[in-house]
Amino acid sequence: ASNCVDFDGGAFWSRLAAAGAGAGVIELGAGETGLVGLMAAKLLQCHCYLTDLPDVVPHLQHNIDSNIADLSPGSSVRAMAYQWGEGPEGLEGTALPRPSGLILAADCLYDTENV
């Protein structure tokens, strides 16, 4: 068991993600669980790139590793550090698809005072 927190928006966006992925999915502010990106990979059978702050990525990667067996064939999920709002130079040298078919941002604003 973990002490990870997920919010209602994650469940909502997980269902909505079935709208289409195109070249791939990028999730901004995936959090420790990566629920939205994992569900997008499973439902859309696509490549998903889950991003968050560097200190969150190890927890996110652990959750991806714990759930990778449940993904559909042809799906992949990758965790990477990126602080949304930074320019594209923060993404240089990454494997992010350009253009992406879907960019997700669910519950991407986090403040410890709200938890």
Side-chain angles (χ1 to χ4, degrees), residues 6 27 30-40 50 60 63-64 77:
D6 202 29
E27 182 180 5
E32 294 176 329
T33 65
L35 173 64
V36 175
L38 284 166
M39 288 304 296
L50 283 54
L60 176 57
N63 200 43
I64 291 170
V77 181

Side-chain angles (χ1 to χ4, degrees), residues 21-112:
V25 172
I26 299 172
E27 182 180 5
L28 302 175
E32 294 176 329
T33 65
L35 173 64
V36 175
L38 284 166
M39 288 304 296
K42 183 174 179 73
L43 296 173
L44 302 174
Q45 299 178 358
C46 65
H47 302 290
C48 292
Y49 302 85
L50 283 54
T51 68
D52 212 305
L53 299 175
D55 60 322
V56 176
V57 170
H59 303 286
L60 176 57
Q61 186 62 56
H62 174 77
N63 200 43
I64 291 170
D65 294 342
S66 297
N67 290 283
I68 200 79
D70 294 329
L71 293 182
S72 304
S75 299
S76 68
V77 181
R78 179 176 175 197
M80 51 194 322
Y82 177 70
Q83 181 172 342
W84 65 276
E86 290 182 354
E89 62 277 356
L91 299 172
E92 292 303 318
T94 68
L96 289 176
R98 293 182 178 92
S100 293
L102 189 61
I103 298 175
L104 302 170
D107 294 323
C108 58
L109 300 176
Y110 179 78
D111 185 345
T112 56

